[in-house]
Amino acid sequence: MSEENIDLSSQVGMNLREIRKNKRISIEELASFSDVSKLTLGKIERGEANPTLNILWKIARGLNIPLASLVDFQEESEIYRFESNHHFAGQNNDWFITPLCKTFGSVEWHRACIEPNSAYSEYHLAGSEEIVHVLNGQLEMEVGGKNHQLNKWDVLKFKGDELHTYRNRSDEKVYLMLSLTYMNP
């Protein structure tokens, strides 16, 4: 694990503990709300675990907060380098997301990569909206049972609280920019 990932994991842990305590929720209660074990939550809070993206989404939904709230952005201006190791992986290491920034309290930006011949599914908080911008290649998106074929530079906007699947059927990585807007951050 790189030093940058250790720092990010520690930051996520500190933020999780602070948010949980501010909401006056015990680890046991959060485990129940999020379907993440008490042991895993404790390790994350202590910075001893590098949680997968799936786990972070469960925690964010359990706390009813945007994902970016778990990652601290303190700088007034900041450069987010493409080569950054500050990312989270899906369970199968075929989906990577880099939280970039949270703006005005209700919008967060992410850079994502989906590996060749793979798929990743997720959903977000109630009332959220997602915008996907394809930076290269082709992407198939399934939202609410409807398939959308997206090419380089295409943009798709949809309700983020619906289960949606990103599919890369090609032999190359596909890079995306994602924007999530929350009604009640």
Side-chain angles (χ1 to χ4, degrees):
M1 191 182 314
S2 76
E3 188 172 316
E4 286 181 321
N5 280 340
I6 291 169
D7 291 342
L8 184 60
S9 295
S10 296
Q11 187 65 55
V12 167
M14 288 186 298
N15 290 344
L16 173 57
R17 177 173 285 189
E18 182 179 334
I19 291 165
R20 183 178 60 77
K21 292 203 178 265
N22 286 343
K23 289 182 170 265
R24 298 182 179 171
I25 297 172
S26 69
I27 281 195
E28 292 79 12
E29 289 171 316
L30 181 55
S32 174
F33 298 154
S34 65
D35 198 28
V36 176
S37 75
K38 294 185 295 187
L39 178 65
T40 299
L41 290 169
K43 285 183 177 183
I44 293 169
E45 283 193 358
R46 291 187 301 276
E48 297 171 358
N50 189 13
T52 66
L53 184 58
N54 302 39
I55 295 294
L56 291 174
W57 279 122
K58 285 182 175 185
I59 293 168
R61 286 190 298 263
L63 290 168
N64 198 32
I65 60 169
L67 178 68
S69 296
L70 294 172
V71 182
D72 192 32
F73 299 104
Q74 294 292 330
E75 301 295 323
E76 287 185 28
S77 63
E78 200 167 332
I79 296 174
Y80 301 94
R81 301 281 182 207
F82 180 74
E83 299 84 15
S84 169
N85 286 327
H86 288 206
H87 63 261
F88 297 101
Q91 266 182 319
N92 300 319
N93 285 324
D94 52 7
W95 171 259
F96 298 91
I97 189 166
T98 305
L100 297 176
C101 58
K102 181 178 173 183
T103 59
F104 305 114
S106 64
V107 179
E108 58 186 52
W109 285 90
H110 303 275
R111 182 174 38 237
C113 173
I114 185 164
E115 293 290 327
N117 300 301
S118 60
Y120 178 79
S121 298
E122 65 187 12
Y123 65 95
H124 310 294
L125 297 177
S128 61
E129 176 182 87
E130 182 167 347
I131 298 173
V132 176
H133 181 176
V134 179
L135 301 178
N136 73 299
Q138 295 181 328
L139 179 72
E140 180 182 312
M141 288 286 308
E142 182 180 340
V143 182
K146 185 175 179 185
N147 284 321
H148 306 274
Q149 290 298 131
L150 304 174
N151 298 309
K152 181 179 180 178
W153 305 122
D154 286 350
V155 175
L156 175 65
K157 181 176 94 170
F158 56 92
K159 293 179 180 178
D161 55 4
E162 287 188 281
L163 181 64
H164 50 280
T165 302
Y166 309 80
R167 280 193 192 87
N168 178 2
R169 297 187 190 274
S170 75
D171 293 327
E172 66 178 47
K173 293 179 180 183
V174 174
Y175 292 93
L176 313 167
M177 289 297 294
L178 308 175
S179 170
L180 287 166
T181 304
Y182 300 96
M183 298 302 286
N184 300 310

